[in-house]
Amino acid sequence: MPISIIRAQPADAETLVRLQIAAFHHDSVLYPEVELGGPPGYDSVEQMLEKIQQDETYKIVEGEVCIGGLVVFGKAAGQYHLDVIFLDPVAQNRGLGTLAMQFLERTYLASVWTLDTPTWAIRNQHFYEKFGFVKLYEFDHDDGTPLIAYEKRAAAET
């Protein structure tokens, strides 16, 4: 089935939150030492509505079914932060994350990308590093979650 990535609308908020919950709760299956949960607000329709209105929020659609999403926000001219990317666990391991990252690279003329991922999320780390993201440093989020800050810089023009 065809995959499309399109801007999310307020009517998509509940579906996106349901998918975020499924994706982040699946982490406790992949990493049994990790408690059930996710980033702050991952289970809040109100916070998703704010992201849809304030940030650049997309839904990943297969055929007619929403199977995931991603949120991007600008930090400065040419600098973007990938706030979150998530897929329904049943849609994972099919190359859809790669399609989403390629979409971002085509859509945004970024000189710098940043993102954060938990230190225990080894699978995420490999995924981001495959796309040229480089680990900058580790830090604790306000909620105590240990995170790794990543950055990807555009290749210099020659």
Side-chain angles (χ1 to χ4, degrees), residues 68-88:
L70 54 103
V71 179
V72 172
F73 59 83
K75 294 171 60 173
Q79 297 182 11
Y80 296 94
H81 184 79
L82 178 56
D83 183 47
V84 66
I85 182 171
F86 55 92
L87 284 168
D88 186 333

Side-chain angles (χ1 to χ4, degrees), residues 13-28 36-39 41-45 48 86-89:
E14 286 187 27
T15 299
L16 290 171
V17 168
R18 179 180 51 78
L19 292 168
Q20 264 191 152
I21 291 169
F24 288 112
H25 285 192
H26 187 64
D27 283 346
S28 67
L36 208 57
Y42 81 104
D43 56 353
S44 167
V45 173
M48 181 57 72
F86 55 92
L87 284 168
D88 186 333

Side-chain angles (χ1 to χ4, degrees), residues 2 8 16 20 27 32 43 48-49 72 75 87 93-94 98 106 111 118 122 147-149:
L16 290 171
Q20 264 191 152
D27 283 346
D43 56 353
M48 181 57 72
L49 284 167
V72 172
K75 294 171 60 173
L87 284 168
N93 299 315
R94 295 180 27 216
T98 295
R106 283 191 319 270
S111 57
I122 304 301
L147 298 174
I148 299 172

